[in-house]
């Protein structure tokens, strides 16, 4: 993940968050499921379990969003680059200024080597050390703090910007930000050193300089020589000429009151000896000014890239994104429900059964369906008790042989029966098979014959009334036949209310 | 040997009389809450194929079919047209061909086709109804397919005729299993799939894989659900509600703002709870689930007494210790409270309760502070002007209440069969899930919650729930 990508990711996550807040979750889900599906179809291995996998996923997601995705990342990084160059330019100018100031020679006083070392080497080292300490201490994101500060300054924008949220997101990337800022800082410092170096060389080559050293500190020539020796330690072997000798140091000590060298030498002599000093100063600037900045910059740039490359992307928003994007490893798929089932209007849902009329007190032919056939005597008893009238006759239908059904119907037709009660076990369904039998009866007995259907449940060997919910599908199916003389009826069972 | 890619995946065709619960079983197995299920016989009108995929490979398939409507008539036709036992399957093929467009046998044709195409039948009976001769015709037709199959006993009512059915079914099927479509849990579903392995030898390996894949996916899902609940805890424990005050607001206006805080805080917590629930439901394929929930169960004044803590399996000494520990985490002792500045538990969770007033005198649940308070600088560094704010939660009980509610809900969702079309019943679950977990688990979770509270009070809210908390929650969800 590079910076541009990260910016785009954050912008898009912010947009999605707003969409979620507006209740457009379905939209996001559909969009991301489609993208995830397309990525799968391309044969990519999608994996949200590792930081690496998540980064690839996020990048692929941003690519897939294409035109609809944010375009801010490139502009932001471009702006950042321009800013870095401008900063470098400014730092270079400051470097030039600093070198000119410390190397200013007016022919009256020699350039103070001590001042040069203090400003261009000492101060730089202190600043670098302070930066490293700040870096190691970590702490809050500077950008987050800036946002919070801005929100305090301009309270109106607070809510509109969602400053708290933005600060929170920025805080997530505090480490990456720290390294980036550090690297940026080092680049500026490099420019500073280059500016100083160039100025240094320019002044040395094109003007006359006399070097001396003076300090209000208790510092003798030997100590100064030792100090210079330590500073020059790194290049002592490689460039012996750039190491000031004790003699040179002693000769160059300058007392300010009155302005003269302690040895009493004249300034023009010092100008001749300046070559010995400037090589030392240039080497010091190279080794103690420029080199540490180059190293720090290389390291910071590397770390900045690494931190970005290792961003965990495991925060809540990202997790929600990956959940939308990645279909579960295993899943079911099937047809749309509308394509396979009864339309909702034809279903029963939670409809309750209508009250069912009791079996009428009239002479009735009994037809026992299937399972009730062997128990037809018990059923017959029940009907007799329920209606106070003995059934006129009993027939068996719904058995294994279709011929038996036909025979039963033929008997009823022959007897010109006008009242039939079909009794079935509760649990038997109003299949086309049963309805067909009723249709045949209607056809053979004529439109005026009363046809009733009753259900009896088997409770531990005893016949019991079926529950109302079981009657409902029967009512619904019989209603559809549009037959006024056909309906579900209730058999009173003693002992059952 | 043909290469693996050309082998048809195992296909199980769920058949039976109408209204036996075929679609219910398919819905439970495929976790599909959208499959048409209804008390109207003939709800399923066309065969519907559901494929279980791992990646882009189909591991096995389940086919839901219309129920038998005229099995006796179909069998009579077959018997009339068959000359010997040797041509029975051919006769069936002939039956399907001849009646392809015949409305009289439309259901039988549609249910037989996928079997003749190579599927194995899963014959479903509703064992709350007695055996009928029509069922014999159905089983006989299935026998004519020459395919091996299996019978599944489902019950749609209390009555049980299973004893009567079993010996009959074993005459036709070498495998007979019980499966309660409405009560089936993940473990029950896996059991049924394990039985599917026995239907055909060559399907044993792929079905073994299917079971393994399903277990892995379930584990992954458990993790995601735990993360969602963990996320809820992180969010809820850090929540801060703020109400701006006019520069010139008087004591009355401030009191009103404080009262409004209570309602807003409660609403915010409820919204977070709802969002986490929707996520858990989404993960389990239960979108748009209605829940019947006893909101008031948690509003009982009793909750604030020590007795209610037994619901979380916490004893009095434990509680005391917890109270002190939580006091340390929040920088204040739990019982150091001022009625006027505390939000009541009822206000935080209950719907439609008359503000915090009912809960005065209860331990402090959340701090209430203004722009001068020390929390203001830490938690709302960007805020300007006068305001009153509440949060984060301080009383140890509320996080536990929230957590238990979330776990109870998640457990109910995870156990819910996709065959059900009624509302999710969360009532009567006063005995929470937390109480059933071992003490070490509770101590761990307590420590995690306290760490969250501590973090919330320093304004350092984690972007994702701590791994350890998620692991513990996963344990609780996976517990049987
Ligand atoms: N109580 C209970 N009811 C069930 C169970 N299984 C199915 N039902 C109910 O029985 C009725 C029929 O269920 P379906 O799954 O539609 O049955 P089906 O066999 O697919 O029916 P058709 O498609 O009409 O052939 C519905 O009202 C279900 O709610 C169960 O295990 N318990
Ligand atoms: Mg169905």
């Amino acid at each position: 993940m590079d910076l541009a990508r990260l910016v785009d990711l954050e912008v898009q996550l912010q947009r999605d968050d707003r969409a979620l807040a507006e209740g457009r979750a379905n939209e996001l889900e559909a969009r991301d499921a489609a993208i995830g599906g397309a990525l799968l179809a391309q044969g990519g291995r999608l994996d949200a379990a590792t930081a690496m996998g998540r980064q690839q996923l996020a990048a692929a997601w941003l690519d897939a969003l294409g035109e609809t995705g944010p375009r801010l990342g490139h502009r932001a990084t471009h702006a950042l680059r321009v800013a870095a160059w401008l900063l470098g330019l400014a730092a270079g100018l400051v470097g030039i200024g600093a070198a000119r100031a410390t190397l200013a020679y007016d022919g009256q006083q020699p350039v103070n080597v001590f001042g040069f070392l203090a400003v261009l080497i000492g101060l730089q080292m202190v600043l670098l050390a302070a930066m490293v300490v700040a870096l190691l201490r970590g702490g809050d994101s500077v950008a987050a703090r800036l946002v919070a500060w801005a929100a305090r300054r301009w309270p109106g924008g607070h809510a509109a910007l969602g400053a708290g949220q933005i600060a929170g997101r920025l805080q997530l990337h505090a480490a990456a930000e720290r390294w980036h800022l550090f690297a940026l800082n080092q680049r500026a410092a490099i420019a500073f050193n280059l500016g100083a170096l160039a100025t240094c060389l320019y002044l040395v080559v094109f003007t006359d300089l006399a070097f001396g050293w003076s300090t209000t500190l208790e510092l003798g020539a030997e100590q100064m020589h030792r100090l210079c020796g330590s500073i020059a330690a790194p290049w002592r072997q490689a460039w012996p000429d750039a190491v000031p000798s004790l003699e040179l140091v002693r000769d160059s000590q300058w007392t300010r009151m009155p302005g003269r060298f302690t040895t009493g030498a004249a300034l023009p002599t010092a100008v001749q000896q300046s070559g010995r000093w400037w090589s030392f100063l240039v080497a010091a600037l190279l080794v103690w000014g420029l080199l540490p900045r180059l190293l720090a910059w290389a390291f910071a740039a590397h770390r900045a890239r690494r931190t970005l490359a290792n961003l965990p992307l495991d925060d809540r928003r990202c997790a929600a994104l990956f959940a939308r994007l990645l279909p579960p490893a295993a899943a079911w798929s099937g047809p749309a429900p509308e394509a396979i089932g009864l339309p909702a209007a034809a279903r029963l849902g939670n409809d309750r059964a209508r009250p069912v009329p009791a079996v009428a007190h009239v002479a009735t032919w009994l037809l026992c369906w299937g399972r009730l056939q062997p128990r037809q005597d018990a059923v017959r008893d029940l009907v007799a008790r329920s209606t106070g009238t003995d059934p006129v006759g009993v027939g068996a239908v719904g058995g294994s042989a279709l011929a038996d059904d036909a025979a039963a119907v033929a008997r009823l037709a022959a007897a010109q029966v006008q009242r039939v009660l079909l009794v079935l076990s509760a649990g038997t369904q109003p299949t086309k098979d049963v309805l067909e039998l009723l249709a045949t009866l209607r056809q053979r007995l004529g439109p005026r014959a009363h046809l009733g259907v009753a259900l009896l449940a088997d409770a531990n060997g005893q016949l019991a009334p079926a529950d109302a919910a079981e009657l409902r599908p029967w009512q619904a199916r019989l209603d559809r036949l549009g037959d006024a003389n056909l309906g579900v009826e209730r058999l009173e069972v003693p002992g059952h209310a | 040997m043909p290469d693996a890619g050309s082998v048809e995946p195992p296909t199980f065709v769920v058949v039976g009389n109408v209204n036996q619960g075929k679609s219910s079983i398919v819905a439970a197995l495929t976790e599909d809450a959208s499959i048409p299920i209804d008390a109207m016989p003939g709800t399923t009108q066309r065969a519907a194929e559901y494929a279980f995929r791992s990646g882009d490979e189909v591991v096995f398939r389940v086919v839901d079919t219309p129920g038998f409507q005229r099995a006796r008539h179909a069998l009579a036709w077959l018997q009339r047209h068959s000359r010997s036992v040797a041509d029975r399957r051919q006769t069936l093929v002939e039956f399907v061909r001849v009646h392809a467009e015949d409305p009289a046998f439309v259901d039988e044709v549609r249910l037989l086709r996928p079997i003749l195409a190579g599927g194995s039948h899963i014959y479903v009976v509703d064992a709350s109804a007695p055996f009928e001769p029509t069922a014999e015709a159905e089983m006989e037709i299935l026998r004519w397919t020459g395919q091996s199959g299996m019978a599944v006993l489902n019950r749609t009512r209390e009555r049980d005729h299973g004893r009567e059915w079993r010996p009959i079914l074993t005459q036709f099927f070498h495998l007979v299993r019980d499966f309660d479509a409405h009560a089936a849990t993940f473990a029950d579903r896996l059991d049924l799939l394990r039985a599917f392995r026995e239907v055909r030898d060559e399907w044993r390996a792929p079905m073994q894989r299917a079971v393994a894949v399903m277990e892995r996916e379930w584990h992954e899902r458990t993790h995601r659900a735990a993360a969602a609940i963990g996320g809820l805890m992180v969010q809820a424990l850090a929540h801060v509600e703020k109400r701006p005050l006019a520069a010139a607001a008087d004591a009355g206006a401030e009191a009103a703002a404080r009262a409004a805080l209570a309602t807003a805080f409660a609403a915010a917590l409820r919204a977070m709870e709802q969002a986490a629930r929707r996520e858990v439901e989404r993960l389990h394929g239960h979108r748009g689930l209605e829940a019947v929930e006893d909101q008031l169960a948690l509003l009982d004044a009793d909750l604030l007494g020590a007795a209610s803590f037994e619901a979380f399996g916490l004893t009095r000494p434990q509680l005391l210790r917890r109270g002190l520990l939580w006091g340390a985490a929040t920088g204040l002792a739990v019982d150091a409270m001022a009625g006027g500045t505390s939000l009541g538990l009822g206000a935080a969770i209950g719907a439609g309760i008359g503000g915090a007033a009912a809960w005065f005198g209860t331990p402090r649940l959340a701090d209430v502070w203004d722009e001068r308070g020390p929390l203001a600088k830490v938690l709302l560094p960007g805020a300007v002007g006068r305001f009153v704010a509440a949060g984060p939660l301080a009383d140890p009980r509320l996080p536990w209440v929230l957590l238990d509610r979330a776990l109870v809900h998640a457990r109910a969702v995870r156990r819910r069969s996709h065959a059900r079309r009624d509302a999710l019943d969360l009532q009567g679950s006063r005995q929470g899930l937390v109480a059933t977990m071992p003490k070490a688990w509770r101590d761990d979770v307590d420590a995690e919650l306290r760490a969250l509270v501590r973090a919330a009070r320093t304004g350092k809210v984690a972007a994702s729930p701590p791994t350890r908390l998620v692991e513990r929650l996963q344990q609780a969800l996976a517990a049987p």
Side-chain angles (χ1 to χ4, degrees):
Chain A
M1 178 128 310
D2 55 22
L3 196 57
R5 279 263 154 91
L6 181 60
V7 170
D8 283 343
L9 178 65
E10 286 298 338
V11 170
Q12 187 61 39
L13 286 177
Q14 180 73 20
R15 284 186 191 168
D16 286 0
D17 223 38
R18 217 170 310 136
L20 285 175
E22 287 164 9
R24 283 156 47 209
N26 286 347
E27 208 174 290
L28 296 194
E29 249 163 49
R31 180 197 68 193
D32 293 338
I35 293 178
L39 291 179
L40 265 183
Q42 286 162 21
R45 229 187 77 67
L46 308 184
D47 149 45
T50 62
M52 176 81 150
R54 287 191 290 269
Q55 293 220 356
Q56 286 169 353
L57 255 180
W61 178 63
L62 285 172
D63 287 344
L65 285 177
E67 286 300 300
T68 60
R71 293 256 152 276
L72 194 64
H74 281 293
R75 264 180 283 152
T77 43
H78 182 70
L80 215 58
R81 259 197 303 277
V82 171
W85 277 110
L86 290 178
L87 193 66
L89 198 65
L93 290 175
V94 173
I96 292 171
R100 287 188 61 147
T102 49
L103 294 177
Y105 176 55
D106 56 1
Q108 302 297 317
Q109 296 208 345
V111 171
N112 191 350
V113 171
F114 208 79
F116 181 92
L117 288 179
V119 172
L120 288 175
I121 310 293
L123 190 61
Q124 273 212 75
M125 297 297 277
V126 170
L127 285 178
L128 180 60
M131 280 296 292
V132 170
V133 169
L135 182 74
L136 295 180
R137 278 189 47 199
D140 290 351
S141 149
V142 176
R145 268 186 287 177
L146 270 177
V147 169
W149 173 82
R152 256 196 314 274
R153 281 291 305 268
W154 298 286
H158 187 211
L161 274 170
Q165 248 183 20
I166 293 177
R169 296 299 302 182
L170 286 169
Q171 189 62 45
L172 276 183
H173 308 307
E177 178 203 73
R178 260 200 309 280
W179 284 109
H180 269 96
L181 283 182
F182 187 69
L184 191 67
N185 186 284
Q186 298 320 307
R187 270 178 67 164
I190 289 169
F192 172 88
N193 279 294
L194 289 176
L197 206 58
T199 312
C200 219
L201 291 172
Y202 171 83
L203 290 176
V204 167
V205 173
F206 294 103
T207 66
D208 282 341
L209 289 180
F211 289 101
W213 61 274
S214 78
T215 168
T216 49
L217 301 174
E218 288 285 311
L219 199 67
E222 279 77 23
Q223 283 156 304
M224 181 62 181
H225 175 250
R226 230 174 295 137
L227 177 68
C228 293
S230 327
I231 293 175
W235 64 86
R236 179 181 297 281
Q237 302 291 331
W239 194 7
D241 281 356
V243 184
S245 61
L246 178 59
E247 218 171 292
L248 177 69
V249 172
R250 202 174 283 146
D251 288 353
S252 321
Q253 187 170 12
W254 176 265
T255 51
R256 240 176 269 199
M257 294 301 283
R260 62 178 176 87
F261 285 108
T262 43
T263 53
L267 271 171
T269 329
V271 172
Q272 277 156 25
Q273 287 192 335
S274 70
R276 304 273 299 281
W277 272 115
W278 77 251
S279 46
F280 168 68
L281 294 182
V282 166
L285 195 55
L286 270 174
V287 172
W288 294 107
L290 187 60
L291 190 64
R293 299 302 190 159
L294 279 173
L295 291 177
W297 172 71
F299 183 65
H302 167 71
R303 282 304 300 261
R305 263 197 309 277
R306 269 269 305 274
T307 320
L308 276 185
N310 292 338
L311 271 190
L313 298 186
D314 60 353
D315 56 278
R316 230 195 335 261
R317 272 192 203 171
C318 287
L321 164 66
F322 296 137
R324 290 196 303 266
L325 208 51
L326 280 194
W332 286 94
S333 59
E338 310 80 56
I340 49 178
L342 276 183
R347 299 193 204 166
L348 293 175
N350 294 325
D351 281 6
R352 306 194 44 130
R354 287 191 310 270
V356 177
V359 173
H361 296 229
V362 290
T364 296
W365 252 89
L366 210 55
L367 282 181
C368 291
W369 178 271
R371 250 290 297 238
L372 287 178
Q373 204 177 310
R375 302 178 69 176
Q376 48 181 257
D377 290 341
V379 178
R380 188 189 184 118
D381 264 9
L382 203 67
V383 173
R385 259 187 294 161
S386 186
T387 62
T389 328
D390 250 351
V392 187
V394 184
V397 287
S400 331
L402 279 173
D404 295 349
D405 289 29
V409 173
R411 264 170 73 202
L412 264 62
Q416 298 274 306
V417 171
Q418 282 306 293
R419 168 77 186 134
V420 180
L421 184 66
L422 174 64
V423 187
L424 311 93
S425 308
T428 308
Q429 299 297 324
T431 53
K432 289 177 184 169
D433 193 359
V434 183
L435 300 182
E436 207 170 284
L437 174 75
L438 289 169
T440 316
L441 281 172
R442 168 62 65 227
Q443 193 199 352
R444 301 287 295 276
L445 303 183
R448 306 182 61 82
H450 286 216
L451 305 180
V453 173
L455 298 178
L456 283 177
D458 186 333
N460 306 318
Q462 297 297 307
L463 292 176
D467 65 54
E470 277 175 304
L471 299 180
R472 183 70 194 111
W474 279 94
Q475 285 180 332
R477 289 296 263 140
L478 296 188
D479 283 353
R480 279 215 232 148
L481 301 178
D483 184 338
N485 284 328
L486 167 66
V488 180
E489 295 175 5
R490 173 166 46 90
L491 269 175
E492 309 288 353
V493 180
H496 290 274
Chain B
M1 242 187 92
D3 68 47
S6 70
V7 173
E8 275 290 296
T11 304
F12 301 91
V13 187
V14 179
V15 294
N17 200 334
V18 289
N19 248 355
Q20 304 297 293
K22 299 181 296 296
S23 299
S24 300
I25 289 178
V26 172
L29 269 183
T30 61
E31 300 198 297
D32 189 337
S34 73
I35 293 182
I37 290 174
D38 190 70
M40 189 70 169
T43 302
T44 307
Q45 299 210 300
R46 271 160 230 284
E49 189 178 282
Y50 301 87
F52 181 67
R53 286 166 209 275
S54 169
D56 32 11
E57 172 209 4
V58 174
V59 186
F60 75 104
R61 289 188 286 232
V62 173
V63 183
D64 188 14
T65 63
F68 278 107
Q69 297 255 19
R70 300 179 74 238
R72 295 188 306 151
H73 297 267
L75 184 61
W77 188 98
L78 291 171
Q79 280 162 342
R80 275 203 306 281
H81 291 78
S82 165
R83 261 162 297 234
S84 86
V85 287
D87 72 359
R88 284 182 168 178
R89 189 178 163 91
Q90 198 43 50
T91 313
L92 258 183
V93 172
E94 191 59 16
F95 172 84
V96 168
R97 195 184 62 76
V98 170
H99 298 99
E101 306 293 329
D102 183 356
F105 287 117
V106 56
D107 309 285
E108 281 73 15
V109 165
R110 284 177 181 167
L111 78 90
L112 285 170
R113 265 203 195 115
I115 304 179
L116 294 175
S120 270
H121 47 270
I122 305 295
Y123 182 66
V124 177
V125 299
D126 175 2
S128 62
F131 169 76
E132 284 285 336
T134 43
E136 190 183 340
E138 293 162 8
M139 293 189 287
E140 187 60 23
I141 293 174
L142 292 177
R143 181 144 70 183
W144 281 42
T145 64
Q147 218 84 284
S148 57
M150 150 177 185
V152 174
L153 290 155
N154 179 40
R155 287 196 303 136
T156 65
R157 311 205 125 66
E158 288 303 308
R159 294 188 308 255
D160 190 3
H161 292 271
R163 291 246 306 268
E164 173 189 347
W165 275 100
R166 278 185 169 274
I168 301 168
L169 291 172
T170 46
Q171 292 173 41
F172 290 86
F173 308 94
H174 75 283
L175 281 167
V176 179
R177 285 281 187 288
D178 284 301
F179 186 80
D180 185 338
H182 270 201
T185 62
F186 177 66
D188 297 330
R189 300 205 304 265
L190 279 194
D191 277 348
L192 189 64
L193 289 185
R194 291 202 180 94
F196 278 14
R197 289 184 310 199
E198 316 295 326
V199 172
R200 273 198 221 175
D201 262 354
E202 66 267 31
W203 287 353
R204 174 175 280 277
M207 288 316 290
Q208 182 81 29
R209 233 192 100 227
V211 169
V213 169
M214 258 181 207
E215 276 178 317
R216 192 149 20 93
E217 193 275 328
W218 183 256
H219 182 78
E220 159 90 350
R221 198 190 302 184
T222 308
H223 176 81
R224 288 187 183 198
I229 298 176
L232 164 69
M233 296 316 291
V234 170
Q235 223 187 341
L237 293 193
H239 184 67
V240 170
E241 194 70 40
K242 175 182 156 230
R243 280 281 167 285
L245 281 179
D250 57 4
E254 190 175 332
R258 281 173 189 259
L261 265 189
T263 328
F265 200 94
L269 280 197
R270 266 200 303 277
M272 290 175 208
E273 187 180 59
Q274 288 303 318
R277 287 184 173 195
R278 294 300 87 80
E279 174 64 5
V280 169
E281 286 164 10
R282 188 185 71 78
L283 283 172
H284 292 88
H286 280 299
R287 257 169 237 258
L289 194 57
E290 264 179 70
V292 179
E293 183 171 21
D294 199 352
Q295 297 257 14
L296 289 173
L298 286 161
L299 292 181
D300 236 306
D302 191 33
L303 183 76
L304 299 167
S308 67
F309 262 76
E310 282 154 21
F312 302 115
L314 305 179
T315 60
R316 206 175 255 279
Q318 250 182 337
L319 241 188
L320 199 61
R321 190 161 58 80
R322 255 164 236 275
L324 291 174
L325 289 173
W326 275 81
T330 56
L332 283 156
V334 167
D335 50 4
M337 69 90 206
T341 60
S342 60
L343 284 185
L345 179 60
I349 287 192
I353 178 154
W359 303 101
F360 282 170
T362 66
R364 186 175 58 90
L365 287 150
D367 290 309
V368 178
W369 35 278
D370 59 19
E371 72 282 354
R372 287 162 312 195
L375 282 175
K377 272 189 211 67
V378 187
L379 299 182
L380 294 175
V384 284
R386 292 188 61 196
F387 62 83
V388 284
L393 289 177
D395 188 278
R397 285 171 282 195
L398 194 46
W400 278 104
V401 171
L402 266 179
L403 182 63
D404 207 35
R405 282 169 63 92
L407 288 174
V408 164
H409 168 264
R411 177 177 56 181
V413 169
R414 287 160 64 78
R415 286 186 179 173
R416 181 178 170 88
S417 161
H418 292 73
R420 297 186 70 145
R421 298 290 181 267
D422 53 348
L424 179 69
D425 191 1
L426 291 174
Q427 259 162 342
S429 46
R430 270 189 87 122
Q431 168 73 4
L433 198 145
V434 166
T436 63
M437 297 306 289
K439 180 177 170 301
W441 182 92
R442 288 197 298 266
D443 283 345
D444 269 4
V445 173
D446 200 51
E448 290 296 329
L449 293 181
R450 267 186 285 125
L452 287 183
V453 168
R454 256 196 313 273
R457 294 182 79 81
T458 52
K460 299 216 181 314
V461 181
S464 51
T467 316
R468 200 172 165 74
L469 177 63
V470 173
E471 276 169 13
R472 292 291 166 273
L473 297 181
Q474 203 172 341
Q475 258 174 18
L477 291 180

